[in-house]
Amino acid sequence: EQWLGATLPPGSRPRVLALTSPESNGMSSETLLVDAAWTEDGTEVTRRLVARVEPPATDYPVFTTYDLDMQFRVIRLVSEHTDVPVPATHWYEPDPTVLGGAFFVMDRVDGLVPPDVMPYTFGDNWVFDATDDARRTIQDSAVRTMAGIHSITPADHDLGFLEIDQPGATALERNLNHWKAYLEWVVGDERSSLLDDCFAWLTDHLPRDASADALSWGDGRIGNMMFRDNHVVAVLDWEMAAVAPPEVDLGWMCYLHLFFQDLAVQLGAPGLPDMFRPADVRATYTAASGQEPGDLTWHIAYAAMRHGVIMRRVTERSIHFGEAERPDDIDALIIHRDTLAGMLDGSYWKGVAL
């Protein structure tokens, strides 16, 4: 209330009516749901808002930094120059003394999010229980939304604030080197031979058929989208945004479904094998963007291998807070280690519709 009072025009007299934190997807920035009321032009108005707050270092954060200003600018850029649905943004506050970290405020959007816990491939949720046609609508809407994001390119917009400060002749090489640096931060002195092999493979097999650079969402998956009537109504979570070829996002979108699908199959469930097959994603994306992506094999592996580093950090975080025990084999912290090994020796790809 004090911050709103200093931010809004004099005489607004803001009141916070309710403040909660969602229990659904997400394990990085803190999300606060705020109902607030204030006076505009002599009339009291009520607003349903969301505040995204930088996590404190004591929370053993998943990533090295959380650039809330960058996320705020990206959402506004997408809102102003595309038809991609994003929440309306209001304010960015860099002062960490207000809420314990920098934050930005945006409108709240109503919709359904495909669950991560338990994953939507496991059953007993709105995605799994939908018809085949409805799930295809969900998929196609998500892919078309991705194409809309990629319509923002360095050729037409100033994306300098998203350029990665790493060595490399191309945006893809700089992106890869950024994740190599993240790997070093995560593992420290306790290396993972599996992850080292993964990043050596990525370096040795860097693709040469990637499309021209574009705005890369970074964490493009349906778990970071809200849906209404099976269509995307909000794109969320921009903390991994950068400049990269579109295939980076497409590989992430395909693999994050494969990750949940593989988990379901390992537990004896059928999952949703017909969703986000790379061949289908490529076809829909080509039709939506007018640009045919390059081969997605490397980019799917890149997603899986980056996700491997994240999963190690997430599990180390659980160990730090006493929620898990450290295993004798450090690679056991990577839940999809068998997938990574199969990608390296080639056996994994036999079951993927590329």
Side-chain angles (χ1 to χ4, degrees):
E1 286 182 353
Q2 291 174 353
W3 179 83
L4 280 171
T7 302
L8 291 166
S12 299
R13 298 190 301 276
R15 294 179 296 119
V16 171
L17 307 177
L19 189 149
T20 58
S21 185
E23 299 178 356
S24 54
N25 297 9
M27 54 186 168
S28 50
S29 299
E30 183 178 7
T31 300
L32 301 176
L33 306 181
V34 184
D35 292 342
W38 59 79
T39 300
E40 285 185 7
D41 300 324
T43 302
E44 183 171 276
V45 297
T46 301
R47 294 284 184 266
R48 300 168 64 248
L49 305 170
V50 177
R52 292 278 284 176
V53 188
E54 179 183 24
T58 53
D59 276 5
Y60 204 91
V62 174
F63 297 111
T64 55
T65 59
Y66 290 82
D67 191 339
L68 275 295
D69 180 43
M70 176 274 287
Q71 296 177 44
F72 185 79
R73 293 173 66 185
V74 169
I75 296 171
R76 284 211 160 167
L77 182 70
V78 172
S79 175
E80 292 170 359
H81 297 285
T82 75
D83 293 328
V84 172
V86 292
T89 52
H90 295 294
W91 310 284
Y92 166 68
E93 176 54 68
D95 185 356
T97 64
V98 180
L99 292 179
F103 65 94
F104 66 85
V105 181
M106 56 188 175
D107 276 348
R108 198 182 316 175
V109 178
D110 292 319
L112 298 173
V113 178
D116 287 351
V117 183
M118 299 290 286
Y120 62 88
T121 54
F122 280 40
D124 193 26
N125 61 79
W126 68 276
V127 178
F128 192 93
D129 295 338
T131 65
D132 292 342
D133 287 344
R135 283 193 295 270
R136 185 56 189 254
T137 300
I138 292 168
Q139 174 179 309
D140 289 350
S141 180
V143 175
R144 287 194 296 268
T145 297
M146 189 74 82
I149 294 170
H150 295 160
S151 69
I152 296 179
T153 70
D156 302 317
H157 301 273
D158 181 6
L159 301 183
F161 72 103
L162 291 171
E163 292 285 357
I164 293 174
D165 186 17
Q166 287 286 342
T170 66
L172 184 57
E173 290 179 47
R174 293 188 290 274
N175 196 282
L176 175 57
N177 285 328
H178 167 77
W179 282 90
K180 287 180 180 179
Y182 177 67
L183 169 65
E184 296 300 318
W185 178 75
V186 168
V187 301
D189 295 330
E190 196 167 3
R191 301 213 65 84
S192 161
S193 58
L194 174 60
L195 292 175
D196 284 342
D197 289 345
C198 285
F199 277 80
W201 183 92
L202 290 169
T203 302
D204 292 342
H205 295 82
L206 201 70
R208 302 299 175 191
D209 63 346
S211 305
D213 294 338
L215 169 61
S216 176
W217 178 6
D219 199 3
R221 60 190 185 91
I222 57 174
N224 284 332
M225 295 175 168
M226 298 187 77
F227 293 82
R228 196 158 52 241
D229 297 328
N230 303 317
H231 288 85
V232 178
V233 293
V235 176
L236 311 171
D237 293 348
W238 294 85
E239 60 204 11
M240 291 165 59
V243 174
E247 289 86 353
V248 172
D249 275 342
L250 295 174
W252 188 265
M253 177 173 276
C254 290
Y255 179 68
L256 266 293
H257 175 77
L258 285 167
F259 173 69
F260 286 145
Q261 175 62 20
D262 292 344
L263 290 178
V265 171
Q266 289 168 16
L267 293 175
L272 296 170
D274 294 333
M275 287 193 78
F276 289 100
R277 296 187 302 180
D280 297 335
V281 169
R282 282 171 51 85
T284 302
Y285 185 87
T286 300
S289 68
Q291 173 180 293
E292 184 175 4
D295 184 77
L296 293 183
T297 305
W298 186 91
H299 300 279
I300 293 171
Y302 185 35
M305 293 169 185
R306 286 181 290 155
H307 198 241
V309 188
I310 294 172
M311 284 297 98
R312 168 153 170 185
R313 178 66 178 178
V314 168
T315 311
E316 295 247 26
R317 187 177 187 273
S318 297
I319 293 170
H320 174 79
F321 287 112
E323 300 166 354
E325 294 184 5
R326 179 172 293 276
D328 294 332
D329 178 3
I330 197 66
D331 284 343
L333 295 177
I334 305 168
I335 193 172
H336 58 299
R337 60 183 297 183
D338 292 342
T339 292
L340 299 182
M343 287 180 170
L344 292 175
D345 66 26
S347 60
Y348 180 80
W349 305 108
K350 298 175 183 177
V352 179
L354 294 167

